[in-house]
Amino acid sequence: MADEKNKVSYGTGVNINLKGKTALVTGSSSGLGMEIAKYLARTGASVAIHYHSEKQQAEQVAAEINSNGGKAAVFGGDVSSQSDVQNIFQSIDEKLGPLDILVNNAGIDGKRQLCGEDNPEDWVRVIGINLMGPYYCSREAVKRMKKNGHGVIINITSVHEFLPWSGYTAYCSAKAGLSMFTKTLAQEVSESGIRVVSVAPGAIKTPINKDVWGNPDTYRDLLTKIAMPRMGETKDIAEAVTFLVSDMASYITGTTLVVDGGMLLYPAFKHGG
Ligand code: NAD
């Protein structure tokens, strides 16, 4: 006889339910982070909306979630500062309870500067936010997740963990470094019930790349770099993250899910030649 617990109803859909979970999405006052935070809240998680300088925008995101039956609270701080990160985690402990999900999303691409003509301070800033930030946040998260015996950490990398990008050595180095951080940390915490996964977006329409999609010439050029004939939308990334933090992905760890519409497929070869 079929086990009652494992009985399934066909044709009723498959739902992701994160009720009872607490999630922090860094940099969720804008772009990808904002969409990810809203998706996690829609599936029932309590969400820590984090901002660096856009407090008002963060409060708007939290207000939208709270007024639609979800639960969100706002936390500010610079992810490249260890003391700011420690304060953020302490406030989340007090306001929302133990953390189950961390999405290391906050990041900048920095100015385009060729090596040797660049400013080392700018280089260090990109590494500070894009690599040290996820490290500081992950170490606070891991301490808590180990106590709870479970947790998921998602690191938002980029296709530039694989693809070189002239003028952006700091960005590419940070994202490739973050990818190896994902793998190594996943190995370290695999027996503590914690999973660590990278999500590598291609070109997704957000404020970070407005200078490219806001100009018809650079936008046309960008589309030649993507196999599918469109830029990504924030929901493309939010849906991938929602799946990865759920139990549907419970055997996935230490790897990268690329969400890029085929940017890594060498689209220049699409027509042969
Ligand atoms: P965005 O500019 O809209 O968002 C970046 C977020 O990071 C903002 O909320 C900002 O406040 C936060 N942030 C910046 N500096 C910070 C600091 N010092 N401390 C804390 N928070 C800080 O850009 P986005 O496109 O939503 O980017 C989100 C992430 O996705 C970044 O890590 C980016 O590298 C990555 N990514 C984006 C794309 C894309 O095409 N949009 C592609 C690949 C990777």
Side-chain angles (χ1 to χ4, degrees), residues 27-33 50 52 54 77-79 105-108 125 129 156-158 171 175 201-204 206-209:
S28 41
S29 54
S30 166
L32 298 183
H50 162 262
H52 179 226
E54 302 148 326
D78 182 343
V79 294
N105 163 79
I108 58 168
R125 175 132 186 85
I129 297 170
I156 304 296
T157 59
S158 165
Y171 185 79
K175 294 299 187 180
I204 317 294
T206 73
I208 211 173
N209 44 26

Side-chain angles (χ1 to χ4, degrees), residues 12-266:
T12 54
V14 178
N15 291 315
I16 290 177
N17 187 347
L18 299 176
K19 238 184 166 49
K21 305 273 187 203
T22 297
L24 162 62
V25 183
T26 66
S28 41
S29 54
S30 166
L32 298 183
M34 177 162 71
E35 192 76 356
I36 294 167
K38 288 182 188 175
Y39 261 76
L40 298 187
R42 277 168 56 187
T43 60
S46 301
V47 185
I49 306 296
H50 162 262
Y51 69 93
H52 179 226
S53 48
E54 302 148 326
K55 186 171 186 202
Q56 213 184 343
Q57 264 177 253
E59 281 172 347
Q60 273 170 15
V61 179
E64 184 183 325
I65 291 172
N66 287 324
S67 64
N68 284 295
K71 186 171 174 194
V74 171
F75 304 85
D78 182 343
V79 294
S80 68
S81 152
Q82 189 178 5
S83 59
D84 277 18
V85 168
Q86 283 167 335
N87 291 337
I88 292 165
F89 274 77
Q90 216 171 323
S91 307
I92 294 173
D93 289 342
E94 287 157 16
K95 288 195 188 146
L96 295 178
L99 194 78
D100 305 286
I101 297 164
L102 165 65
V103 182
N104 281 313
N105 163 79
I108 58 168
D109 50 12
K111 292 182 209 145
R112 177 170 154 76
Q113 300 182 65
L114 300 179
C115 190
E117 299 165 15
D118 55 347
N119 176 354
E121 276 173 26
D122 293 336
W123 216 90
V124 170
R125 175 132 186 85
V126 172
I127 298 289
I129 297 170
N130 293 8
L131 187 56
M132 297 305 291
Y135 160 65
Y136 290 142
C137 291
S138 298
R139 71 187 295 278
E140 290 305 318
V142 160
K143 285 188 228 167
R144 288 157 174 83
M145 290 171 178
K146 274 188 176 167
K147 270 193 206 148
N148 300 337
H150 67 264
V152 187
I153 298 174
I154 303 292
N155 292 321
I156 304 296
T157 59
S158 165
V159 284
H160 296 296
E161 72 163 89
F162 307 103
L163 262 186
W165 186 19
S166 164
Y168 293 90
T169 53
Y171 185 79
C172 295
S173 303
K175 294 299 187 180
L178 185 54
S179 164
M180 187 48 89
F181 178 70
T182 293
K183 291 182 204 175
T184 308
L185 182 62
Q187 192 188 54
E188 268 184 35
V189 298
S190 56
E191 290 179 20
S192 305
I194 305 169
R195 296 187 294 110
V196 190
V197 186
S198 292
V199 171
I204 317 294
K205 209 172 198 175
T206 73
I208 211 173
N209 44 26
K210 190 166 190 286
D211 54 333
V212 179
W213 55 261
N215 170 322
D217 293 333
T218 50
Y219 182 58
R220 216 172 299 118
D221 176 64
L222 173 67
L223 291 182
T224 67
K225 298 185 168 92
I226 310 169
M228 289 171 71
R230 69 169 175 92
M231 269 191 94
E233 296 167 24
T234 52
K235 85 184 224 331
D236 294 319
I237 304 303
E239 285 173 351
V241 171
T242 305
F243 158 69
L244 285 172
V245 301
S246 79
D247 286 345
M248 290 177 89
S250 62
Y251 206 49
I252 300 177
T253 194
T255 191
T256 296
L257 176 60
V258 177
V259 186
D260 71 342
M263 200 174 217
L264 292 180
L265 296 178
Y266 297 94

